[in-house]
Amino acid sequence: MRKPSIPAGTQSGLWIAGVLIACQFAAISPAWAKAPDLEFHAPQAVNDAKTPAVMRDLAERLLPVYQDADPDRYLANLSALQLVAGSYSAADVSRQALRIRRRPARVGQPVGRSVVYDIYAYAKAIEAENRVSFAESFTRSFGEVVPRLNDADAYAVTRWLETSPQVFQSALQRALDQQRAKDSIDQSDAVKLIWTYLAFDAYRSFGPLVEALVAADDDRRYTVDDEVLIKASDGANIAVVVARPKSRSEPLPTLLEVTIEESQNSAKECAAHGYVGVVAHIRGTRTSPRRVVPYEHDGEDARAVIDWIAKQSWSDGRVGMYGEGYSAFTSWAAATRLPPALKAIATSGSTAPGIDVPMTGNIFQNSAYRWSLTVTTNDAAVEKDLNDDELWRALDQKWYRSGRRYRDFGRLHGQPNPLFIRWLNHPSYDGFWQRMIPYREQFAKINIPVLTTTGYFAASAPGALYYFTQHTRYNPHADHTLIIGPYEDGVMQRRPLAVLHGYEVDSAALVDVHEQQYQWFDHVLKSAATPPLLKDRINYQVMGANEWRHAASLEAMAGSSLRFYLDATASGERRRLTRHKSSKAAFVLQWVDFADRSDAGWMPPTALVTKSPITHNDTMFVSEPLAKPTEFNGLFSGRLDFTVNKMDMDLNITLYERLASGDFIRLFNPAYEFRASYARDRAHRHLLKSGERQELTFKSERMTSRQLEAGSRLVMVLGINKRPDRQINYGTGNDVSEESIADGKIPLKIRWYNDSYIDIPVRK
């Protein structure tokens, strides 16, 4: 990228060559990690008038002493220091040198986020050298870079540029708050703080300019029609947005999302990848007043949209569906109807009504009430309240302390919600839910390729794994591929995080699963090569081993298992997990007082790594240290041998690896939750026998893969659900939504016998 604001020809080349030579000196210089700390007093606030000067002073003091053995990292960090120090032309030269170094390795690769700082550094250099406004210099820099990119790269860059400056302001404020109590900063932390400040300063500078520049670039690239109405089979209107690349004139395959939410850019993103992008908004979302009924019509409506697409002149007759969350559900709802033009579906965070929403393990969750109001309300005041997390936490606690029926939850909020009540009327996985997505033998008829992406730490994992396990069970030859790793919901939008709730994710897991989805569609619909990651039906990242493995089935992931018995022997407040069943009969007594509401403020911690798990109405079992590294792969299972004084109970199980250092690492999150009376069959309730010894077998709906270290211990936490954000099962055997605290006068008492065990699938 040649820039007339920098001396051209030989002199420009000498400048860049000089920087590259400096890189080599930096690479062979002693490491600077042990360099003296720098005096630094963090400003009180991001928008403090002194903040720019304080950060500039830090950058100026760090520049003369900064070294790094990695030339690429040296150049990147050097450019950041130069930008914050105000040496804009030097920063631009450093970034040019970095691009030259990276160019051979980047051939054929998508553009990286670093291009944002290339554009910004060049704009600041133009502003300083030509003495023009930043608006003029940034417009020029944008115009010299973005229009030259292909559609996919341009789409990625413009969406990065559109990120709200508030994101970076919040990150900078957190960084300053963490530093404020100190009067010095080590050089490594100083570089990180400089980058955090630079991101904020750059985005607040060009943020106001981006919208118009991006709109003009999009208009040049895409034809967009956002006023299409399609008639469903019963006459209802479905609003559709269509985006097509102007660079292609021939009929193209279409990628379709059927959504309940606003989807601003996904149609254009599909067009940027060489498809026709179509986003259909489910019936009622675009009407006034809003009349939305989630789940019940979406399969038929999606089929109507697919049939319409296949008849358009710009369509080659083939449609792929994709989506996250609700849109993943609509993909499966459409597949149930077997529309001829539907050739593939790719889903993530897959919602499965009746499986993981509005209940998980047949236990209803308060969040379902909130969400149902979000998608159906026409009241502006209610819409405002829906975004207030504190208000909803207070409502959870108000209901919990009141001891009222779960069916009364909406009355405490003051908003009638017939949709939520209708859901409560179907606590079993009955015909009401079964009609919404494929059920049993219906999976056998789905013969199109399917890609499912989920994570060990995704709340939606039970839904995603339900689709996968049922599809491959009823159709053994199903072309269904699973990607799973240390991800949470939203990974398609945010991409994998290097640090997730305190857990440092393996570098191997930091793949762009969003782009993998497009590569998979290219393979299915355009005969491109199979994405390298997808080597078998199940593709899973082994946490702790920093590698991906591949298997033809869940069973093939392991090949063996380890059985651990729930031993009654106490060690402090904990019990033992043992490889061998004790010859002496014994039990662990656990009880829960449903009348006690002093714990109304309790919520499970979000941290994935902790020094000591916070227990609540549960019992912890800890194994002996593992003799050798052990790879835990797949779905654990078990058998509970017990007596209980109630006819039902809601259970939760959490598993940890306890490292030799004492840290506890969660193997999946959230906990595996299930109602005991539905453990055998989610469609039919089988009550427990009060006062009798009995057994309950289960198989987890949460999956994990982790290399457990030699010397670490397996930890199982077995608990009873009693929390303010869940339905409470008092154990009468009646409709749980009708039970109240009056049914909880007698505490729940359980004896867990030492015949109980869990089976951990392990790789041979």
Side-chain angles (χ1 to χ4, degrees), residues 4 6 98 115 129 198 207 223 251 273 325-326 354 418 420 422 449 544 615 647 661 698 700 716 743:
I6 297 174
L98 180 61
V115 74
E129 295 170 14
L198 174 60
T223 298
H273 283 80
Y326 194 93
F420 189 67
R422 183 156 75 249
T615 59
M647 298 177 70
S661 66
F698 66 87
S700 172
M716 172 187 177
D743 299 301

Side-chain angles (χ1 to χ4, degrees), residues 18 34 48 168 196 198 275 304 345 355 423 435 455 489 547 572 609 652 675 689 753 758 761:
K34 297 181 180 179
D48 190 317
F168 303 99
T196 307
L198 174 60
Y275 295 89
I345 62 174
I355 304 296
W423 291 345
R435 288 189 293 271
D489 288 325
E547 63 180 287
V609 181
N652 61 74
R675 181 157 292 162
K689 298 175 182 179
Y753 293 100
I758 56 170

Side-chain angles (χ1 to χ4, degrees), residues 297-319:
H297 305 289
D298 301 325
E300 285 299 321
D301 291 355
R303 180 165 64 177
V305 175
I306 292 169
D307 291 344
W308 175 83
I309 290 171
K311 298 174 184 176
Q312 305 309 303
S313 60
W314 38 257
S315 168
D316 72 354
R318 296 178 299 156
V319 178

Side-chain angles (χ1 to χ4, degrees), residues 194-332:
I194 289 292
W195 271 110
T196 307
Y197 174 77
L198 174 60
F200 163 67
D201 194 38
Y203 274 82
R204 71 170 171 177
S205 298
F206 60 63
L209 309 173
V210 167
E211 182 178 359
L213 293 171
V214 170
D217 190 70
D218 283 354
D219 287 345
R220 185 178 62 82
R221 295 176 185 272
Y222 311 113
T223 298
V224 179
D225 189 346
D226 57 4
E227 296 182 356
V228 180
L229 287 178
I230 298 173
K231 289 289 184 182
S233 57
D234 61 359
N237 285 324
I238 306 166
V240 167
V241 176
V242 180
R244 294 179 287 126
K246 290 183 177 178
S247 59
R248 306 286 293 274
S249 58
E250 74 277 17
L252 297 172
T254 300
L255 296 185
L256 166 67
E257 178 185 15
V258 178
T259 179
I260 198 170
E261 299 170 345
E262 290 297 320
S263 183
Q264 298 295 334
N265 294 316
S266 55
K268 287 182 183 177
E269 183 178 83
C270 294
H273 283 80
Y275 295 89
V276 176
V278 176
V279 173
H281 299 270
I282 73 166
R283 64 169 67 191
T285 53
R286 294 298 180 92
T287 60
S288 183
R290 188 179 175 94
R291 294 190 179 92
V292 175
V293 181
Y295 305 126
E296 297 182 31
H297 305 289
D298 301 325
E300 285 299 321
D301 291 355
R303 180 165 64 177
V305 175
I306 292 169
D307 291 344
W308 175 83
I309 290 171
K311 298 174 184 176
Q312 305 309 303
S313 60
W314 38 257
S315 168
D316 72 354
R318 296 178 299 156
V319 178
M321 287 190 73
Y322 68 95
E324 185 170 17
Y326 194 93
S327 299
F329 147 71
T330 59
S331 299
W332 280 104

Side-chain angles (χ1 to χ4, degrees), residues 441-704:
E441 288 75 13
Q442 290 178 318
F443 278 103
K445 299 177 182 179
I446 299 176
N447 292 308
I448 59 174
V450 179
L451 176 66
T452 294
T453 303
T454 190
Y456 309 135
F457 307 119
S460 64
L465 293 173
Y466 173 80
Y467 289 121
F468 177 80
T469 56
Q470 293 294 295
H471 192 197
T472 54
R473 174 185 177 185
Y474 287 99
N475 184 350
H477 301 291
D479 184 0
H480 194 147
T481 303
L482 175 69
I483 301 174
I484 187 166
Y487 311 133
E488 62 179 354
D489 288 325
V491 68
M492 279 292 175
Q493 302 303 319
R494 294 190 300 269
R495 312 303 196 268
L497 299 175
V499 179
L500 182 62
H501 302 299
Y503 171 67
E504 188 171 340
V505 174
D506 290 347
S507 60
L510 303 180
V511 298
D512 190 341
V513 292
H514 187 85
E515 194 61 31
Q516 284 279 335
Q517 184 170 278
Y518 281 109
Q519 293 174 10
W520 180 82
F521 273 125
D522 288 348
H523 166 65
V524 173
L525 299 175
K526 299 180 179 179
S527 300
T530 304
L533 180 63
L534 308 184
K535 290 183 168 60
D536 213 322
R537 175 177 276 178
I538 301 175
N539 306 276
Y540 59 102
Q541 201 273 317
V542 185
M543 297 184 292
N546 197 29
E547 63 180 287
W548 286 86
R549 293 198 190 280
H550 314 274
S553 66
L554 289 170
E555 293 73 23
M557 289 177 63
S560 185
S561 66
L562 296 178
R563 178 165 292 179
F564 291 88
Y565 288 90
L566 278 58
D567 196 290
T569 306
S571 176
E573 295 182 356
R574 299 167 182 173
R575 306 290 173 152
R576 296 174 58 204
L577 275 180
T578 59
R579 291 297 317 282
H580 303 286
K581 183 173 66 175
S582 173
S583 59
K584 182 180 178 180
F587 61 82
V588 176
L589 179 63
Q590 185 171 350
W591 67 280
V592 177
D593 184 1
F594 287 118
D596 175 18
R597 298 303 158 97
S598 62
D599 56 353
W602 184 86
M603 285 295 290
T606 58
L608 300 178
V609 181
T610 182
K611 289 294 184 183
S612 180
I614 300 174
T615 59
H616 183 257
N617 296 318
D618 51 35
T619 302
M620 182 183 295
F621 298 85
V622 183
S623 77
E624 293 299 314
L626 298 173
K628 59 183 180 180
T630 303
E631 196 169 299
F632 180 162
N633 288 337
L635 303 170
F636 71 96
S637 58
R639 184 190 71 183
L640 299 175
D641 183 359
F642 62 96
T643 59
V644 63
N645 65 335
K646 304 279 186 177
M647 298 177 70
D648 204 359
M649 56 184 172
D650 291 348
L651 300 168
N652 61 74
I653 298 175
T654 306
L655 297 182
Y656 296 86
E657 177 187 10
R658 183 187 178 189
L659 302 179
S661 66
D663 285 345
F664 289 75
I665 299 178
R666 294 192 74 144
L667 300 183
F668 53 83
N669 191 52
Y672 168 47
E673 302 175 68
F674 61 100
R675 181 157 292 162
S677 57
Y678 287 107
R680 188 192 316 175
D681 178 2
R682 71 174 81 244
H684 301 94
R685 194 178 188 193
H686 300 274
L687 294 174
L688 303 178
K689 298 175 182 179
S690 177
E692 295 186 21
R693 186 165 175 174
Q694 58 210 290
E695 295 180 354
L696 182 153
T697 59
F698 66 87
K699 188 166 187 177
S700 172
E701 295 177 349
R702 303 206 62 88
M703 176 178 163
T704 194

Side-chain angles (χ1 to χ4, degrees), residues 134-148:
F134 180 74
E136 182 178 342
S137 67
F138 186 81
T139 300
R140 175 177 162 186
S141 180
F142 182 97
E144 291 192 21
V145 176
V146 177
R148 300 179 184 180

